[in-house]
Amino acid sequence: MDLAKAIKAINTDASFQIDAEDIDNIIWLNGTTPISKADIEAKQTELQAAYDAQAYARNRKEEYDQLNQFEMQFDDDRDS
C-alpha cells in the first residue's frame, strides 16, 4: 500500500513530499506534525489487509460484469 494513502488515512490534512516512495525520505511541509514510521507502517498494513479482504468481491464483480455483457448480447439478438 502506498505511503501517501497511508499518511492521508492517518491525517487527511497532512502536507508532505515523498522521495521515491521511501519512508525514510518523507518531507513534512507547512507545519504538518510528522507521523512516526511505525504508525505509517501499521496503517499501510491495515489498509493492505482491508484491500486483500475485498479480493473475492472484486473478482466476483468482474465475473458478474462479464456475465451481464454476455446476457445482454443474447437479449439484443432476441430483441432485434
Side-chain angles (χ1 to χ4, degrees), residues 5-6 9-10 14-16 19 22-23 26 31 35-37 40 44-46 49 56-57 67 74 76-77 80:
K5 286 182 183 177
I10 295 169
S15 182
F16 56 92
D19 183 25
D22 184 356
I23 199 165
I26 300 172
I35 301 170
S36 74
K37 291 177 192 174
I40 295 170
Q44 283 181 298
T45 300
E46 176 187 329
Y56 177 78
L67 178 62
F74 287 105
D76 289 345
D77 288 344
S80 305

Side-chain angles (χ1 to χ4, degrees), residues 27-66:
I27 300 167
W28 301 99
L29 306 171
N30 301 326
T32 298
T33 301
I35 301 170
S36 74
K37 291 177 192 174
D39 287 345
I40 295 170
E41 289 169 342
K43 183 56 76 173
Q44 283 181 298
T45 300
E46 176 187 329
L47 292 172
Q48 188 65 53
Y51 179 81
D52 292 347
Q54 291 299 314
Y56 177 78
R58 285 191 307 278
N59 292 338
R60 292 300 296 162
K61 181 182 179 332
E62 289 176 20
E63 290 174 17
Y64 281 122
D65 288 346
Q66 289 175 358

